Amino acid sequence: MDENTQIFVSESEELLEDMEQALLALEASPNDDNLINRIFRAAHTIKGSAGLFGFDDIIAFTHVVENLLDDIRNCLVPVSVDLITLLMKCKDQIVEMIENLNSEDSIEYPEKAELLALLNAFSASSSSDETPSIASVKQVVSLESDNSTGSIYHISIRLGLDTFREGFDPEIMFEQLKELGTITQIKMVQTSIPRLSEIDGENCHLGWELSLDSLKSKQEITEVLEFMDGANIKILSPDSQSKDFIKLINELPEQDSAIGKILLDIGAISPKELQSVLNKQKTQGGLTGELIIEEGLSQEKVVKSAIKTQSKVRKEKQTEREFIRVAADKLDKLVNLVGELVIGSAKITQLAKSRHDIELEESVEEMTQALEDMRETALGLRMTPVANTFNRFHRVVRDIAKSLDKKIRLKITGGDTELDKTVVEKIGDPLTHLIRNSMDHGIETPHERLLANKPEEGTITLSAFHETGSIIIEVKDDGKGLDAEKILSLAKERGLVAKDQVMKRSEIYKLIFEPGFSTAKEINNISGRGVGMDVVRRSIESLRGTVNIFSEPGQGSRIVIRLPLTLAIIDGFHVQVADESYIIPLDSMVECISLSDSQKIEANRHDHIKLRDSVLPLIPLDKNWGINKNQNTFEQARVNLVVVQFEGKKIGVLVDSLHGEVQAVIKPLGKVFDGLRGFAGFSLLGSGQVAMIMDIADLAKSVASKERERHNFTERRTRKRVSMTDILE
Amino acid sequence: MSDETTNTKVIVIEDECTIYDVSDFKESVMHHIDNQMNIIFDLSQVSKIDASVIQLLLSSKIELEHKGLEFNLKNCSAKASEFIRSISCDEALLLAIEAPLNP
């Protein structure tokens, strides 16, 4: 695909996305002219751009769509749900045609003929059911620009002062006007004729105001009257033509033009009229548009429409100036290079320290600070608002609600929250699964909702917000909530949990993320294949994120996804256990504690210590990953404790040394480490040493899992004792 | 021709009256206006007239009305009425062009 086609594809995709959003909004506000104009403009711009590149199929199809949209704009076709559905399908069709632009094969679009037939059926202006050819489109375009309807022009004529001296006879002017059409009204203007005592009889002061019924365009009339040198002639196009002028203004190529130029291009004023206004502007000042209205050269509404178009184009140009389109891989390369710089900088810092050269250390410190800013900026380039992904779901919700015969509204909050580009791209599919599940299993039918004293329309809220170095994405519904008993019984039936296992409600809910779990009675195309939620969990985990579910029977469910802000470089804390270096993500750290002897003993004997009146579970890294600690006992070792936090739960990580903050470039672990738990990747330190980056979420899970196992073991042992007692009794 | 008793002057425009005559024409009319005369313009003898003369007639009308005197046009020849109508000055001159007084 060449560069120009890429630009066309990229711009068209944005326009089509905007078109879809506007169509969805139009369903709620069918009389909103701005929305209708937005949709029209999208179709019109795509057609225009397709014309530049010669994409004939797209031109022909969008032309028919545009015709219908024009009818809607002109209130000839009412907005209805069916109409919006048709236009959405047309949008999908254009998307498909654009996607196949690069294909060398001839692509058949089986739905296109039906869509064209429907478009024509809806259209008020077209009776043809044939696909319009490019030639016919061009013919229509040509006819559109021909003002060939009989219209009443208002013409003001003021003859020049030297008209008589130059031997010009106004009779000729009237003969010319009569050739252009019929003068339906005329009034001589006497106000500028001086009294006899003051007049120079050779000076001309004659003028007329007249109405001319003519089939000619304003330009043609202007050209005929142009021979009258020195005369001031204003031709005001008929009121009926204002609509045509406004339409022409809307169809003008979106380039920044002066008001005068816009009105000249559409034929609302003549070059001579524009020149006279510009001359007046030079001497008197003022705005062109205002002067044109003041001089009565064009209708106020036409001028205002031109001003509106000009403002819009300027605003868009301004926006264009604020943004530059950059290929994503270039950004990725930049971030990688910044990563390499970070590693290099760490080496230099270490070297500077070893030289004991204060000046060198200070310079390195300055460079490191600048590099940190650069890193923040480079990572910021990859951040995009989640709204790009969220807005897609309006259509998903609308279509699925219709197919399920339910009334469901999607509410989006925090769409401007920014997230790493890769995460935004990858989160779309899991969110689709979650929303589909909520719609299918969560939200009740309108009848069921009314019986449950709920509004007929269900609501799914999709929200995003920041929380302690992470982004939280929530999918919340006000449906019937999860059925814990049913989930547990199904999990037992499928062998996902032991038959005698006792679980908390929150733990039961998490079972729905297990592979092969589904409570749907029937498999349908929306959800219920039992793979969705498992895929969701794995997709989120692959992004170093976590997913949790909360539910209240009868009230609804809330699925909380926690994602890291970025996948590339993090602020970390360098720790050491034996000879191994580790990095703990700084945003999950709470505090570092040097343990007292008694705490060391406690930590060695148990998996927890008492910290300020609360019990802190511990993760002894040397035991966890089988590290040779080269220390005989914990009592002899100098043990530091790093307290980390995940989802409000605090955990202690036992380490030997604390080295301080580092910028860690996250490098993915190879496939050979697939089974290794508790690491998010690795990073290279300034010394060249490899440091593993701890995955605090995973470590927290392992602690929770161990606690659960211990709890279950204790419970089973207690129950066993009880039953033995029963037998003995 | 003048009617001194009624303080009205009838000015008869004869043959061709065009831009070349407007200066003299103005002087003559002004003279009568200065003498507080109502004026009747008789166009029955006109064979050719142009827009500068029509403008001067209109200017005379304005001057007369300004001075509280009367302006009248009488006996338009066919040529005169045709021209006045062609440049749409009939209404301004309060002339019933449809039925020329002196065809």
Side-chain angles (χ1 to χ4, degrees), chain B residues 1-59:
Chain B
M1 191 175 77
S2 67
D3 185 349
E4 302 292 341
T5 53
T6 55
N7 207 25
T8 299
K9 173 73 185 172
V10 177
I11 296 176
V12 182
I13 302 171
E14 294 175 332
D15 302 326
E16 291 189 3
C17 187
T18 63
I19 188 167
Y20 305 109
D21 307 306
V22 288
S23 187
D24 293 342
F25 182 51
K26 176 189 168 183
E27 208 175 309
S28 162
V29 177
M30 270 314 295
H31 171 73
H32 296 299
I33 292 173
D34 287 343
N35 291 328
Q36 297 295 306
M37 302 288 278
N38 299 317
I39 299 177
I40 298 171
F41 292 92
D42 184 338
L43 305 187
S44 60
Q45 305 300 310
V46 171
S47 59
K48 188 181 178 188
I49 199 166
D50 72 4
S52 63
V53 178
I54 301 295
Q55 180 181 270
L56 213 65
L57 286 172
L58 287 165
S59 183

Side-chain angles (χ1 to χ4, degrees), chain B residues 62-96:
Chain B
I62 295 164
E63 184 74 50
L64 284 161
E65 283 169 358
H66 188 74
K67 296 252 166 92
L69 298 167
E70 285 178 18
F71 167 89
N72 268 300
L73 266 188
K74 269 174 107 176
N75 300 333
C76 259
S77 70
K79 290 275 180 190
S81 62
E82 190 186 336
F83 183 77
I84 292 169
R85 188 168 50 190
S86 75
I87 62 168
S88 301
C89 288
D90 41 341
E91 197 185 312
L93 289 169
L94 305 171
L95 204 62

Side-chain angles (χ1 to χ4, degrees), chain A residues 497-508:
Chain A
V497 291
K499 294 272 181 197
D500 57 349
Q501 192 155 344
V502 179
M503 295 174 87
K504 284 187 198 164
R505 209 163 68 177
S506 59
E507 289 168 342
I508 296 171

Side-chain angles (χ1 to χ4, degrees), chain A residues 53-77:
Chain A
F53 297 104
F55 301 138
D56 293 351
D57 277 358
I58 297 174
I59 301 172
F61 186 76
T62 46
H63 176 73
V64 186
V65 177
E66 193 189 357
N67 277 346
L68 177 58
L69 288 167
D70 200 30
D71 285 346
I72 299 168
R73 274 203 319 179
N74 296 324
C75 302
L76 297 172
V77 174

Side-chain angles (χ1 to χ4, degrees), chain A residues 294-329:
Chain A
E294 198 179 292
E295 291 284 303
L297 298 177
S298 183
Q299 278 89 352
E300 194 175 343
K301 53 188 165 188
V302 176
V303 178
K304 281 187 174 169
S305 172
I307 292 171
K308 202 171 152 191
T309 299
Q310 189 197 45
S311 315
K312 183 182 150 271
V313 171
R314 286 194 174 160
K315 200 174 165 189
E316 279 170 10
K317 293 276 172 197
Q318 185 68 28
T319 313
E320 277 171 25
R321 275 194 283 273
E322 284 169 4
F323 294 98
I324 305 172
R325 243 174 236 278
V326 180
D329 58 347

Side-chain angles (χ1 to χ4, degrees), chain A residues 397-409 436-449 456-458 460 479-480 524 526-527:
Chain A
V397 170
R398 178 190 182 273
D399 290 353
I400 295 177
K402 268 177 156 266
S403 70
L404 291 171
D405 215 11
K406 291 181 180 178
K407 289 187 178 176
I408 304 171
R409 184 169 70 98
R436 284 175 170 223
N437 265 297
S438 284
M439 295 181 76
D440 196 15
H441 305 309
I443 306 272
E444 311 90 330
T445 62
H447 178 67
E448 286 170 337
R449 289 183 66 86
E456 208 180 12
E457 188 183 57
I460 292 181
K480 57 190 168 203
N524 57 34
I526 294 162
S527 59

